[in-house]
Amino acid sequence: MKLRYFMGEKKLKAAVVLSGCGHLDGTEVREAVLSLLVLDQQDVDVKCFAPDINITQVMNHKTKEATKEKRNVLVEAARIARGEIYDLKGAKAENFDMLVVSGGYGVAKNLSDLSENKDMVTVMPEFERLVSEFSVTKKPIGAICISPAIIVSILSSKIGKEESKVKVTIGDDREQLIEKLGGEHIKCDTGLSIEDEEHNVFSCSAYMRSDESKFSLNSCSGKEAMINLDVITFDINIAIDGQNGKTMKRNLKGLEFVTKDDGSWYINKDFGNDRFEVIVKQS
């Protein structure tokens, strides 16, 4: 990006939007830190922003359970920015050359209601305004993890009939989320990215791709099963090969994950006389 957008001796400036601190209720910390590192390596001036609002649902990142705590998105995001962060209301595209939005559930819970409504997403007005400003002025927008979905949701309503759909990636998108929001999804490996040069949107999947998780299933009777993990809600669906070749689908929505010392999560579930242990481990 530095080579493409470098303008003479002018130092580029990036607005980085954070949505809290921690992937379950805010910004995914690793994605944010690595983004800031790359921008620094490219000699880009960075200014971080976050909305001055309460976190929609504060999560305990050890137990992965919701808590009754009240926390502020801006205050929590300041942990990542080492205190150098500003209210999102003050961010204006005219003062920057690019916009970068990391992922994490904060994007789907605090900047929007995507976690609750995947068909007609409502986006925070200040964030929608900022994204629209960058789009209108044809300045690049970098979107990571789940944030491309919100970018698509914002821009799709503003694109004319003669323009093509916004092209992004969130990895595999088995639920066709991007299409539902009005965009075009491009399947992409985790280490690669998608460039939509027409709309100046650059996206990568990061932790959204299923190849970022390892799945194993053990059964005392040796039955085969397939596991699907919803990366937005953390719901697990297990399809078990039953009698007469039929498949039984059991939704484990709402079950609590137990965190093990090695970083994996596990749940146990009985299906009749059979017991399955599902292990989901971040790679």
Side-chain angles (χ1 to χ4, degrees), residues 135-190:
S135 177
V136 169
T137 54
K138 300 189 181 302
K139 294 180 178 179
I141 299 171
I144 304 167
C145 194
I146 188 58
S147 65
I150 308 302
I151 302 301
V152 166
S153 176
I154 295 171
L155 299 185
S156 293
S157 63
K158 306 178 187 303
I159 292 176
K161 294 182 179 180
E162 70 282 357
E163 295 183 82
S164 62
K165 295 180 179 180
V166 179
K167 299 179 179 65
V168 298
T169 188
I170 56 172
D172 296 314
D173 197 18
R174 295 186 179 92
E175 296 184 0
Q176 298 182 315
L177 174 63
I178 299 301
E179 182 178 337
K180 292 177 183 177
L181 296 175
E184 179 180 344
H185 184 264
I186 308 297
K187 187 175 181 179
C188 182
D189 290 339
T190 308

Side-chain angles (χ1 to χ4, degrees), residues 26-145:
T27 292
E28 212 298 320
V29 177
R30 296 177 184 179
E31 293 172 3
V33 170
L34 290 174
S35 298
L36 293 171
L37 173 62
V38 170
L39 290 170
D40 183 67
Q41 290 174 334
Q42 295 296 313
D43 200 28
V44 176
D45 275 341
V46 173
K47 197 169 186 177
C48 294
F49 296 91
D52 188 8
I53 60 173
N54 285 335
I55 292 174
T56 302
Q57 183 183 56
V58 177
M59 299 292 292
N60 181 321
H61 281 67
K62 174 62 176 174
T63 64
K64 296 178 174 60
E65 297 176 338
T67 74
K68 295 182 179 180
E69 289 183 63
K70 297 293 183 182
R71 296 194 180 192
N72 180 277
V73 174
L74 180 61
V75 172
E76 291 300 299
R79 297 173 182 270
I80 298 175
R82 294 178 63 87
E84 293 293 325
I85 193 165
Y86 304 88
D87 192 333
L88 184 61
K89 291 180 179 180
K92 298 184 183 300
E94 63 186 29
N95 297 325
F96 298 94
D97 301 295
M98 67 191 78
L99 173 67
V100 178
V101 186
S102 297
Y105 288 95
V107 175
K109 293 181 177 180
N110 302 325
L111 298 183
S112 73
D113 65 352
L114 177 63
S115 64
E116 300 294 332
N117 188 353
K118 298 179 184 179
D119 295 319
M120 295 183 63
V121 179
T122 299
V123 181
M124 171 181 288
E126 287 300 329
F127 183 59
E128 181 173 0
R129 170 194 60 78
L130 184 63
V131 171
S132 299
E133 287 179 3
F134 273 91
S135 177
V136 169
T137 54
K138 300 189 181 302
K139 294 180 178 179
I141 299 171
I144 304 167
C145 194

